[in-house]
Amino acid sequence: IAAGGDRCGGTLLQLQVEERGNAAFDRFRFDLGLEAEAPTKAEAMAQLNSRLAALRATLRPLVSGELTIPAPSTYRSGGGSGPGASPIREHASTSVSGQVSKANYDALIQTAGRLAGVSLRGFTAQAAGGSEADLQTALLRQALASGRRQADTTAQALGLSRVRLLRIDQRGGGGPRPMPYARMAAASFNPDEAPPPERFVSLSLDYCLS
């Protein structure tokens, strides 16, 4: 964005300013792994279906909205020749993802994490409605104010009195930060201790000092 013409008859000052902040959040996106293992593929799939039914029943009163469950994948392990070779084992797996409120966060971790074949892959905080847009606006204002302060300070140091913004080049981004769970713990998990969604605004600013 160019402001008020792009020519500078004085000193050109180029600044890079970045501001970061955390958005308020009220829910989590969760990702669970589900696996089964048996001597035959049919048995492995039957076991996977049984475990999936148990997991669905556990999640139903806790989750918000629909679950996402992709088609299962299978593979074989073992079956080598020679002494000490391991027997053939068929494996079947899928994943289950969805959303859970802060109120049900710990209950989902504790109950789903103890089911057979279930692994907790990660929970990602989701920004509350409107909080990301509000945060982005606030960060933009902070970055512009910071750039102006730096430009004013530089102008004063050079004995100049006029500061004019020539150009703004804006980048922004960030988002939810996933929190993985390698294993279950005995203690409960506090949703307010989870990493919140993070946003940032980065500005390249050109000022004319004269």
Side-chain angles (χ1 to χ4, degrees), residues 119-122 179-185:
S119 59
L120 304 178
R121 293 179 176 175
M179 180 164 60
Y181 289 87
R183 59 182 181 275
M184 288 299 299

Side-chain angles (χ1 to χ4, degrees), residues 5 43 63 77 104 119-120 126 137 171 184 208:
E43 290 175 305
V63 302
S77 67
N104 291 330
S119 59
L120 304 178
Q126 303 291 297
T137 299
R171 291 190 305 109
M184 288 299 299
C208 183

Side-chain angles (χ1 to χ4, degrees), residues 8-202:
C8 179
T11 300
L12 178 64
L13 174 65
Q14 295 181 314
L15 297 175
Q16 187 72 37
V17 181
E18 183 172 292
E19 295 287 342
R20 292 181 176 270
N22 296 325
F25 63 97
D26 56 4
R27 64 196 187 282
F28 292 85
R29 182 77 181 173
F30 64 84
D31 183 23
L32 309 177
L34 184 63
E35 298 182 351
E37 178 186 340
T40 68
K41 183 179 292 187
E43 290 175 305
M45 286 300 300
Q47 185 184 82
L48 185 70
N49 288 334
S50 176
R51 290 179 172 180
L52 181 57
L55 180 57
R56 277 198 180 107
T58 297
L59 295 178
R60 193 170 295 117
L62 300 174
V63 302
S64 306
E66 299 296 322
L67 297 173
T68 300
I69 306 172
S73 60
T74 61
Y75 72 94
R76 176 181 295 181
S77 67
S81 59
S86 58
I88 293 175
R89 302 293 290 178
E90 297 287 349
H91 303 260
S93 65
T94 187
S95 62
V96 179
S97 59
Q99 292 194 28
V100 61
S101 68
K102 290 176 73 172
N104 291 330
Y105 169 81
D106 181 62
L108 189 147
I109 292 172
Q110 300 294 346
T111 55
R114 293 190 174 97
L115 293 177
V118 175
S119 59
L120 304 178
R121 293 179 176 175
F123 286 71
T124 306
Q126 303 291 297
S131 65
E132 276 193 300
D134 291 343
L135 175 62
Q136 198 76 5
T137 299
L139 293 176
L140 176 58
R141 288 173 176 166
Q142 292 171 21
L144 287 170
S146 176
R148 179 68 191 207
R149 286 194 300 270
Q150 293 183 49
D152 287 342
T153 299
T154 303
Q156 292 173 11
L158 295 174
L160 304 174
S161 59
R162 188 181 178 198
V163 176
R164 182 163 58 94
L165 178 61
L166 297 178
R167 186 183 65 90
I168 303 173
D169 184 9
Q170 177 182 345
R171 291 190 305 109
R177 289 176 287 178
M179 180 164 60
Y181 289 87
R183 59 182 181 275
M184 288 299 299
S188 63
F189 292 89
N190 183 349
D192 291 318
E193 295 174 349
E198 183 183 62
R199 302 293 298 179
F200 76 89
V201 168
S202 179

